[in-house]
Amino acid sequence: MVALALAAGAAVIAFLTSRRARLAERRDAEPEALMAGAAVVALLIVLDHRRVLRWDYGIDAGDAGRVPLPGAALLLGLTLLAALGATLLLGASRFAGGASRVVDPRVFGRRLLMLAVGLGALAAGVIVSSAARLGPAALKAAGGDVAAMVLAAAWVAWTIVLWLRPTAGGGARELSERSGRQTALAAALAGIALAVSALESWVRVGSYASAPVAAAASAALVGLSAIQPTRFAAARRALLVVVLLTLLLAPARY
């Protein structure tokens, strides 16, 4: 678990460093904000089996079953609307070939992203406080959703900061090389997590053919693909982050 957590942390840092390299090269954070807003929309759509689309959200409280959280559902629905509006405005501005002289949709898009970050943070706080009152089982069940929301909100906030304070030119190659080293570290840690998982599986069930080992092997393979010097490096590093965080927040059972 420790190696997996370290691998996930290294993968997140590698992904952010690769995005910084891209921004240092282009000196334009608007596409990054558009990507982050779209990621928030996708996350909220799939959250709790797409119930947020119906203004509903709940968590598993163990013996009590699923407990709806109407306050969190309202905040998540508003977050979805704000993030969707920002994504549509930024996308329209991007593909329409520039801003209007009368109304700049990028300004409204940026403000909606800020609103989405604030609403998402409030929703995460409501979920945590409600789950804490329901007991440890509910808090554990809500951990994955809250972690995903916090990471998505942090990514959006980061893009807004970069948008308001553009990255200085130069240093793109150095940042790219640093991202490659960080990705190699994450891949190595994923390999260590695979070895530890195989050993633990052998001790527990007498075989390495178990679900946790298969999941760790998948993460290690994704790590190997992420370090290859080919195109779409950022996408492969993002996939590595998603796989490692999924394993960390929802580990497979023996």
Side-chain angles (χ1 to χ4, degrees), residues 171-185:
R173 182 175 180 180
E174 180 183 354
L175 288 170
S176 181
E177 292 175 351
R178 186 190 305 172
S179 176
R181 292 192 297 269
Q182 293 165 347
T183 306
L185 175 61

Side-chain angles (χ1 to χ4, degrees), residues 33-202:
L34 177 60
M35 187 188 307
V40 171
V41 172
L43 171 64
L44 293 177
I45 287 176
V46 302
L47 203 64
D48 193 19
H49 305 287
R50 299 184 296 275
R51 288 192 175 94
V52 176
L53 295 174
R54 303 193 298 268
W55 296 82
D56 184 23
Y57 179 80
I59 54 177
D60 185 7
D63 296 336
R66 183 180 181 274
V67 178
L69 303 178
L74 175 61
L75 290 171
L76 289 174
L78 293 174
T79 304
L80 176 59
L81 290 179
L84 180 60
T87 302
L88 293 176
L89 285 172
L90 294 178
S93 173
R94 193 72 182 176
F95 297 114
S100 170
R101 293 183 178 180
V102 180
V103 179
D104 189 350
R106 295 175 299 178
V107 175
F108 290 101
R110 187 168 60 219
R111 291 174 179 174
L112 283 176
L113 282 180
M114 295 178 182
L115 178 62
V117 170
L119 291 172
L122 286 175
V126 170
I127 294 172
V128 170
S129 62
S130 301
R133 290 195 298 268
L134 293 173
L139 193 60
K140 182 179 180 180
D145 290 351
V146 172
M149 291 165 53
V150 169
L151 287 174
W155 186 13
V156 174
W158 180 68
T159 63
I160 293 173
V161 171
L162 292 176
W163 198 350
L164 296 176
R165 295 183 178 181
T167 305
R173 182 175 180 180
E174 180 183 354
L175 288 170
S176 181
E177 292 175 351
R178 186 190 305 172
S179 176
R181 292 192 297 269
Q182 293 165 347
T183 306
L185 175 61
L189 290 170
I192 294 174
L194 170 60
V196 172
S197 179
L199 179 60
E200 185 178 4
S201 177
W202 185 267

